[in-house]
Amino acid sequence: MMKTGKNKRLLASILAASMLLAMSPFALADENTPDTTGQGQPAGQTYAAKIGENKYPTIADAIDAANIYDANSDVTIVMLHDVTENIEINRSLTLDLGGYTLSGDGKKTVVSISGEDKDMDVTVKNGTVTGGHATNGGGFEQVNLLFGENPNKAVREWTKPFHEAGIQTHMLDRALNGLRMSPVPADVRKLFYKVKKAQGTDITRTFCGLNDIRNIAPSITYAHEAGMISQCSLCITHSPIHTVEYYTDMALKLIKLGADEICIKDMAGIGRPVSLGKIVANIKAAHPEIPIQYHSHAGPGFNMASILEVCEAGCDYIDVGMEPLSWGTGHADLLSVQAMLKDAGFQVPEVNMEAYMKVRALIQEFMDDFLGLYISPKNRLMNSLLIGPGLPGGMMGSLMADLESNLESINKYKAKRNLPFMKQDELLIKLFNEVAYVWPRVGYPPLVTPFSQYVKNLSMMNVMAMEKGKERWGMIADDIWDMLLGKAGKLPGELAPEIVEKAEREGRKFFNGNPQDNYPDALDKYRKLMKENKWELGEDDEELFEYAMHPAQ
């Protein structure tokens, strides 16, 4: 019902976020290590890694074998193919991934570093580490896999009843990274759109974690070629660089490139309400025909005020959640948003409470069954301390899990030196302070997947190192270096001199070209591999897509 004097209409879209966890590729963890040094190599064995000419069935076996070398000797373990394994490194060594992917089992940290030697030097290079601690934010397919479902069948079954009810469905696209945490070849990105449209997806929400328009532009073309609506995102954060003018200019450039809709993606919920309202008003003033959707998380406490501001400025759609997954690190709750907007004079649909309670009960059932095992109880809490570091709601689950394992490691170190133990809150504040220190020095990347994980992981590595008497920046993973060097896109800000100097000392080269040029087409390779293995390409090439997008899985 419309209030007198206000002729506004707002449709609240319900996107109850079922994944509140994010990937954490690295953490420095436990100090307990196996003491075996066996090097058995049975005939017919498939080997995962080698040291020199000696090959080992698992990386853990290779690490055990490395212990026969003097602690100060130069040991390099080379991975021989994609491997799914969680490993613990307890001595100085180099792990050369050989261009392959090391995937975790989703139950704990993929690579943990332990040991008493404060001078221990560990390098992980030349490949991708992925899959630690449950799922990454937005990784619907990983939830399907955890539940034993085929993601392709699940998407078709999910979209069918929505279409029958006349409701359009969304998908998430991380631009250069597609559905994963690492860059994707161009032909795989294009197939992504073809497959998902065939499976029933209508709208693609594309974002680049660096707000680099060059990474988003191809997705606009792929969406239109597939017959989809291209919704392009502004990744919101709060810094001296990320101003109202910055975001307005970005939106206008995306619309000029052909974006059909704009999403204000306030993934950490730290966008300031008045500034967000100004961004929406500026876009609407230039392009009143372009729908705008606001996505936010409740954690820092701004988002109810932000929702009201963007709606007053002309926003068309609001992402909301519902109990038991609303608030905390999730979205604001549907019932609260609907009541607030109704009182403010907006025409919003009434809520079918019978249906609401049925869906709420189903979500609780999933959580009681298995999903709750991947959700920290602290995710339900709001925390104004998040205003400072600006970390997104989607990754707070893995952050809390990391804190527990890293706190244990720190306190074992302190116990052996008769030092006072650290409390979890103390470690959390140290981490938040370190994020505030690291973030501007690495160029102010918007804190969204995967760059929020990179900044958090680098900050955690620094904290762990300094607690054990070492210096900052001692361990920077290759994927973080790719961000720093420009291979993933242009950083919004400048790198600190100390980072530039470290890159130059290590002989690393900065890249100023188009990031997609670093990742050539690859579908022919995957077609060949599938043919050799006698695997079906699947309906609409969907199994080919899955293999090319997630080869390790």
Side-chain angles (χ1 to χ4, degrees), residues 181-232:
M181 300 283 285
S182 56
V184 176
D187 58 351
V188 180
R189 289 179 63 183
K190 186 172 183 178
L191 180 60
F192 174 25
Y193 277 77
K194 171 180 173 288
V195 167
K196 294 307 171 185
K197 175 60 178 176
Q199 291 174 345
T201 308
D202 305 291
I203 305 169
T204 169
R205 177 176 294 176
T206 303
F207 73 91
C208 169
L210 296 177
N211 282 334
D212 190 329
I213 290 174
R214 296 174 301 172
N215 289 335
I216 300 174
S219 290
I220 298 174
T221 301
Y222 301 149
H224 291 162
E225 288 177 352
M228 300 173 74
I229 295 169
S230 173
Q231 183 185 94
C232 295

Side-chain angles (χ1 to χ4, degrees), residues 41-56:
Q41 299 179 18
Q45 174 71 57
T46 299
Y47 299 114
K50 68 178 182 177
I51 301 175
E53 296 304 314
N54 293 321
K55 297 180 181 180
Y56 305 91

Side-chain angles (χ1 to χ4, degrees), residues 25 53 61 64 124 144 166 208 244 288 303 324 342 508 522 543:
E53 296 304 314
D61 289 334
D64 290 345
V124 180
N144 294 139
C208 169
V244 170
N303 82 326
K342 188 175 181 180
R508 299 180 184 272
E543 295 299 335

Side-chain angles (χ1 to χ4, degrees), residues 2-236:
M2 194 178 301
K3 257 192 178 181
T4 305
K6 291 194 177 184
N7 185 18
K8 303 175 181 176
R9 181 175 182 87
L10 182 135
L11 174 64
S13 64
I14 304 172
L15 299 175
S18 64
M19 286 160 301
L20 306 177
L21 309 177
M23 184 172 295
S24 173
F26 286 91
L28 309 180
D30 202 340
E31 295 193 6
N32 299 320
T33 73
D35 193 31
T36 57
T37 57
Q39 297 184 41
Q41 299 179 18
Q45 174 71 57
T46 299
Y47 299 114
K50 68 178 182 177
I51 301 175
E53 296 304 314
N54 293 321
K55 297 180 181 180
Y56 305 91
T58 67
I59 299 175
D61 289 334
I63 294 170
D64 290 345
N67 289 322
I68 67 174
Y69 296 89
D70 181 86
N72 296 319
S73 63
D74 225 357
V75 177
T76 297
I77 296 173
V78 180
M79 208 161 78
L80 301 176
H81 53 76
D82 290 341
V83 173
T84 299
E85 184 179 349
N86 299 83
I87 64 172
E88 180 176 323
I89 300 175
N90 63 321
R91 57 154 293 144
S92 295
L93 59 77
T94 295
L95 176 58
D96 184 344
L97 302 180
Y100 296 108
T101 298
L102 173 61
S103 302
D105 62 7
K107 298 177 182 177
K108 58 182 180 179
T109 303
V110 184
V111 179
S112 58
I113 315 295
S114 65
E116 299 181 19
D117 181 4
K118 72 176 184 178
D119 296 318
M120 186 168 63
D121 184 17
V122 174
T123 299
V124 180
K125 66 179 187 178
N126 193 24
T128 301
V129 178
T130 185
H133 283 308
T135 67
N136 63 76
F140 247 99
E141 297 191 345
Q142 296 184 19
V143 173
N144 294 139
L145 293 167
L146 284 169
F147 201 58
E149 294 180 339
N150 181 318
N152 293 310
K153 292 181 180 178
V155 171
R156 291 179 188 275
E157 292 176 10
W158 172 258
T159 59
K160 186 173 183 289
F162 286 101
H163 283 168
E164 291 172 350
I167 299 172
Q168 293 175 317
T169 59
H170 266 76
M171 76 176 192
L172 189 70
D173 169 28
R174 291 176 177 145
L176 184 65
N177 288 351
L179 275 177
R180 65 193 192 193
M181 300 283 285
S182 56
V184 176
D187 58 351
V188 180
R189 289 179 63 183
K190 186 172 183 178
L191 180 60
F192 174 25
Y193 277 77
K194 171 180 173 288
V195 167
K196 294 307 171 185
K197 175 60 178 176
Q199 291 174 345
T201 308
D202 305 291
I203 305 169
T204 169
R205 177 176 294 176
T206 303
F207 73 91
C208 169
L210 296 177
N211 282 334
D212 190 329
I213 290 174
R214 296 174 301 172
N215 289 335
I216 300 174
S219 290
I220 298 174
T221 301
Y222 301 149
H224 291 162
E225 288 177 352
M228 300 173 74
I229 295 169
S230 173
Q231 183 185 94
C232 295
S233 303
L234 317 179
C235 291
I236 301 295

Side-chain angles (χ1 to χ4, degrees), residues 459-485:
S459 301
M460 183 71 83
M461 292 174 200
N462 284 351
V463 169
M464 295 292 290
M466 290 187 291
E467 285 299 312
K468 296 184 177 182
K470 301 180 184 179
E471 296 183 354
R472 282 187 176 97
W473 317 119
M475 184 177 177
I476 301 180
D478 273 5
D479 49 7
I480 299 176
W481 270 121
D482 285 349
M483 175 190 78
L484 298 175
L485 297 173

Side-chain angles (χ1 to χ4, degrees), residues 348-516:
V348 292
E350 293 299 324
V351 178
N352 181 332
M353 288 305 299
E354 184 178 347
Y356 176 93
M357 293 306 296
K358 184 176 181 180
V359 173
R360 180 172 172 165
L362 279 172
I363 295 171
Q364 187 63 58
E365 183 181 329
F366 298 151
M367 292 176 67
D368 293 343
D369 181 15
F370 80 102
L371 191 59
L373 298 173
Y374 298 92
I375 302 176
S376 167
K378 294 186 178 180
N379 283 12
R380 302 301 307 281
L381 305 177
M382 296 173 70
N383 190 343
S384 56
L385 291 174
L386 292 169
I387 295 171
L391 294 171
M395 62 166 285
M396 291 307 295
S398 66
L399 184 148
M400 298 310 297
D402 283 348
L403 279 183
E404 293 176 9
S405 59
N406 290 322
L407 182 65
E408 182 181 358
S409 176
I410 288 173
N411 283 334
K412 284 183 179 180
Y413 176 88
K414 291 180 177 293
K416 291 177 180 178
R417 290 157 180 79
N418 295 316
L419 298 172
F421 277 20
M422 181 183 288
K423 297 178 181 178
Q424 188 180 80
D425 285 349
E426 293 173 323
L427 179 56
L428 182 64
I429 294 302
K430 281 181 179 288
L431 175 61
F432 283 178
N433 288 340
E434 187 64 16
V435 169
Y437 179 88
V438 166
W439 187 41
R441 287 166 175 79
V442 297
Y444 286 113
L447 295 176
V448 65
T449 302
F451 306 110
S452 53
Q453 282 87 343
Y454 294 173
V455 172
K456 182 264 290 183
N457 290 340
L458 183 54
S459 301
M460 183 71 83
M461 292 174 200
N462 284 351
V463 169
M464 295 292 290
M466 290 187 291
E467 285 299 312
K468 296 184 177 182
K470 301 180 184 179
E471 296 183 354
R472 282 187 176 97
W473 317 119
M475 184 177 177
I476 301 180
D478 273 5
D479 49 7
I480 299 176
W481 270 121
D482 285 349
M483 175 190 78
L484 298 175
L485 297 173
K487 293 180 180 179
K490 180 175 173 55
L491 288 163
E494 299 296 324
L495 291 176
E498 60 202 280
I499 301 294
V500 176
E501 290 166 7
K502 180 177 176 65
E504 291 173 347
R505 281 198 312 271
E506 297 181 8
R508 299 180 184 272
K509 303 296 183 184
F510 287 90
F511 179 79
N512 297 313
N514 187 337
Q516 188 68 73

